[in-house]
Amino acid sequence: RVAEFLRDFDPLRSGRVTRHQFQRALAQIFHPTALDDLEAPLDFDLLAEHFVLPKGAQHETQVVDWSAFCETVDEVFNMQFLEHTPARPVPFPGSSVLDSSDFERRPVDDEDNLRNLITRIAVLMQIRGIDFHACFENVTRSKADIANGRITRSAFLSHFPLSSGTPTQPAVFQHSDLGIVVQRYSDEHGMMRLHPLQKDIEDV
């Protein structure tokens, strides 16, 4: 899938490219999204460093092991070299991709307060006919974040109708009121997880 973007930089098929060639290939892979995209920046230096060859080969210009990079990417979709170990368990395609299925809700200091707040949110959303999913459609996010229900905390607070308000309808909650909600549904990267929150609201 990604090898075609790197193969032309390696006419001798050594499996290696320079850092600059690796960066150019990544730019083509991610096009039209830029590597320094404000919403989902890619740390090129960190990624390249991960695939740099052992120190013994670093005197050469071509130090990035692009073949190992391609194998790692392809593992998201299939398992390599099964012909050598046909009995090896095969994970479900895409199971290694970060998503919301394995997200664990964070503990909070006041579970009763959180439960009451979620109940109040659910009732108000039903009364006002608020479509939770539609609340965040205008937020600029990467395709992966949209698919997996990830959003920044600030974007959540500013676009959630009950905390943002309108000229004719004031906000029901202040941002500080929803701090406990943000705490519960934030992951280790500081991103809000919308799918678990939506499920808990719908379960009320």
Side-chain angles (χ1 to χ4, degrees):
R1 288 175 169 83
V2 296
E4 62 186 88
F5 295 95
L6 286 145
R7 194 175 289 115
D8 290 344
F9 291 113
D10 184 19
L12 299 180
R13 299 297 184 266
S14 65
R16 306 190 306 271
V17 293
T18 66
R19 290 175 182 269
H20 178 64
Q21 290 170 335
F22 187 60
Q23 184 176 22
R24 288 178 59 190
L26 287 179
Q28 295 178 45
I29 293 171
F30 280 87
H31 179 79
T33 301
L35 298 183
D36 58 352
D37 181 73
L38 293 177
E39 293 294 329
L42 174 67
D43 191 335
F44 161 75
D45 292 325
L46 182 64
L47 183 60
E49 191 64 32
H50 182 77
F51 292 99
V52 165
L53 292 162
K55 291 185 178 180
Q58 288 190 16
H59 65 281
E60 301 181 18
T61 304
Q62 295 174 306
V63 296
V64 181
D65 188 346
W66 72 265
S67 59
F69 167 73
C70 292
E71 288 178 7
T72 301
V73 172
D74 286 343
E75 285 178 0
V76 174
F77 307 97
N78 56 65
M79 187 171 290
Q80 302 289 322
F81 312 117
L82 277 177
E83 64 274 16
H84 302 305
T85 54
R88 186 179 177 185
V90 178
F92 186 79
S95 60
S96 61
V97 177
L98 180 65
D99 61 19
S100 60
S101 60
D102 59 353
F103 171 73
E104 294 185 6
R105 293 160 177 79
R106 304 282 176 168
V108 296
D109 295 332
D110 193 339
E111 292 286 344
D112 289 336
N113 181 31
L114 175 66
R115 192 177 304 108
N116 292 334
L117 187 56
I118 293 295
T119 299
R120 190 180 174 197
I121 289 173
V123 171
L124 287 170
M125 288 182 63
Q126 184 175 13
I127 292 174
R128 298 189 179 188
I130 297 174
D131 182 349
F132 185 87
H133 177 72
C135 296
F136 310 100
E137 288 182 343
N138 294 327
V139 179
T140 302
R141 293 182 287 162
S142 68
K143 291 182 179 179
D145 285 342
I146 293 173
N148 294 298
R150 291 191 296 264
I151 191 172
T152 64
R153 297 173 179 178
S154 59
F156 168 76
L157 292 171
S158 61
H159 286 80
F160 187 44
L162 297 180
S163 63
S164 57
T166 67
T168 58
Q169 197 167 47
V172 177
F173 302 108
Q174 299 298 316
H175 289 185
S176 58
D177 298 329
L178 296 177
I180 193 170
V181 174
V182 171
Q183 180 183 348
R184 169 72 103 193
Y185 299 98
S186 290
D187 61 21
E188 64 273 20
H189 304 291
M191 297 287 284
M192 279 284 294
R193 295 301 192 100
L194 297 177
H195 295 335
L197 173 57
Q198 182 176 9
K199 183 181 184 304
D200 289 352
I201 291 173
E202 292 174 349
D203 287 345
V204 171

